[in-house]
Amino acid sequence: MSSESGGSPDEQALGPRGEEIAENLRAVRRRIDGACAAAGRPRDAVRLVVVTKTYPASDVRLLAGLGVREVGENRDQEAAPKAEACADLELTWHYIGQLQTNKARSVAAYADVVQSVDRVRLVRALDAGADRHGRELTCLIQVSLDGDPGRGGALPEDVPELADAIAGSPRLTLGGVMAVAPLGVEPARAFAALAEISTRLRAAHPAATMVSAGMSNDLEQAVEAGATHVRIGTAVLGVRRLLR
Ligand SMILES: *Cc1c(COP(=O)(O)O)cnc(C)c1O
């Protein structure tokens, strides 16, 4: 390996795509650092999940080499082969998309965390799928913050029943809550509403401390409101070509 072009040997080995991702990742980590500092929260209170949907397994491999430990996917057809291609990497796979009950068994084979649990039937299917594969899953309840569960997510009033169903499932662990800030709603207000739902949930389930909120455009507001996990795609990997 030549050292003439400068940079550490590791950086030279990354190639142009790796360097681009490394630079974006540094910027995102700086944003999370700044948001934690501004909110008076310890830096290790917030975990970065890099959303790799539409991007290839080779990018996941580059991310793992850059210290990323958690990745997110939203379509089973895409995620299953990608997770298999990356099975040698020490990664936590988060499933963050709307999930049909008939895909639950497939997702249970590779996902470690399912963030989009929004109905009891899906809880049953995930528990059965995890049992089939001899695995355990952490589940987050996705909450709809605009009262329109058509786009996925449970209504806030349905959270307690869902939480009990997850907690009562042998193969599932209740991790907490997840939400996407609805269009047309100030993200800070949406994330404050999610934080309240999390507080109520923890009264009944104290270990369910995860709050997944915040994407490329609103991670600061999410960290301010207490997010423990931010889901960042575009700011790390670039603008996606395909609209999902
Ligand atoms: C795609 C996606 C993200 C990442 O969004 P960016 O704006 O690209 O950071 C986060 N959460 C969910 C549920 C997604 O589908």
Side-chain angles (χ1 to χ4, degrees):
M1 191 177 297
S2 161
S3 60
E4 278 168 30
S5 54
S8 71
D10 278 357
E11 277 176 6
Q12 286 179 28
L14 286 173
R17 176 61 171 156
E19 282 169 21
E20 178 186 8
I21 293 175
E23 190 178 321
N24 290 344
L25 202 51
R26 273 194 295 274
V28 165
R29 285 174 170 150
R30 272 199 301 270
R31 283 176 63 191
I32 299 173
D33 292 349
C36 285
R41 301 180 62 202
R43 176 58 183 85
D44 62 4
V46 179
R47 301 183 69 87
L48 169 63
V49 178
V50 177
V51 177
T52 48
K53 65 189 182 194
T54 79
Y55 287 102
S58 55
D59 280 359
V60 177
R61 202 161 280 284
L62 286 166
L63 287 164
L66 292 165
V68 169
R69 290 291 164 262
E70 315 205 35
V71 294
E73 287 283 335
N74 74 336
R75 292 204 322 151
D76 177 56
Q77 303 92 300
E78 180 186 344
K82 209 183 287 184
E84 182 159 358
C86 296
D88 58 310
L89 303 174
E90 294 242 335
L91 289 170
T92 297
W93 290 80
H94 294 252
Y95 190 85
I96 62 171
Q98 282 195 43
L99 183 50
Q100 292 171 286
T101 307
N102 63 6
K103 295 281 167 60
R105 188 199 285 182
S106 172
V107 168
Y110 59 86
D112 301 290
V113 182
V114 178
Q115 297 204 0
S116 44
V117 178
D118 59 3
R119 56 201 192 279
V120 171
R121 269 191 69 205
L122 182 56
V123 174
R124 307 262 179 265
L126 285 168
D127 190 51
D131 190 59
R132 174 131 188 151
H133 297 292
R135 302 188 71 241
E136 307 205 334
L137 305 178
T138 294
C139 293
L140 305 190
I141 299 170
Q142 182 177 353
V143 184
S144 169
L145 297 175
D146 58 4
D148 173 18
R151 296 195 304 138
L155 295 171
E157 57 262 38
D158 294 333
V159 168
E161 181 195 6
L162 266 169
D164 291 344
I166 295 167
S169 299
R171 294 278 178 174
L172 308 182
T173 298
L174 177 63
V177 291
M178 177 274 233
V180 178
L183 291 173
V185 176
E186 175 57 38
R189 275 192 53 203
F191 297 142
L194 182 66
E196 262 180 48
I197 292 165
S198 168
T199 300
R200 285 201 294 274
L201 175 67
R202 279 179 285 123
H205 300 274
T209 56
M210 294 167 70
V211 179
S212 173
M215 318 201 309
S216 292
N217 288 329
D218 55 20
L219 80 83
E220 284 82 3
Q221 290 96 323
V223 169
E224 169 68 32
T228 62
H229 291 68
V230 291
R231 310 177 306 269
I232 310 298
T234 307
V236 174
L237 293 169
V239 175
R240 289 177 293 276
R241 278 155 190 268
L242 303 174
L243 286 177
R244 293 276 158 86

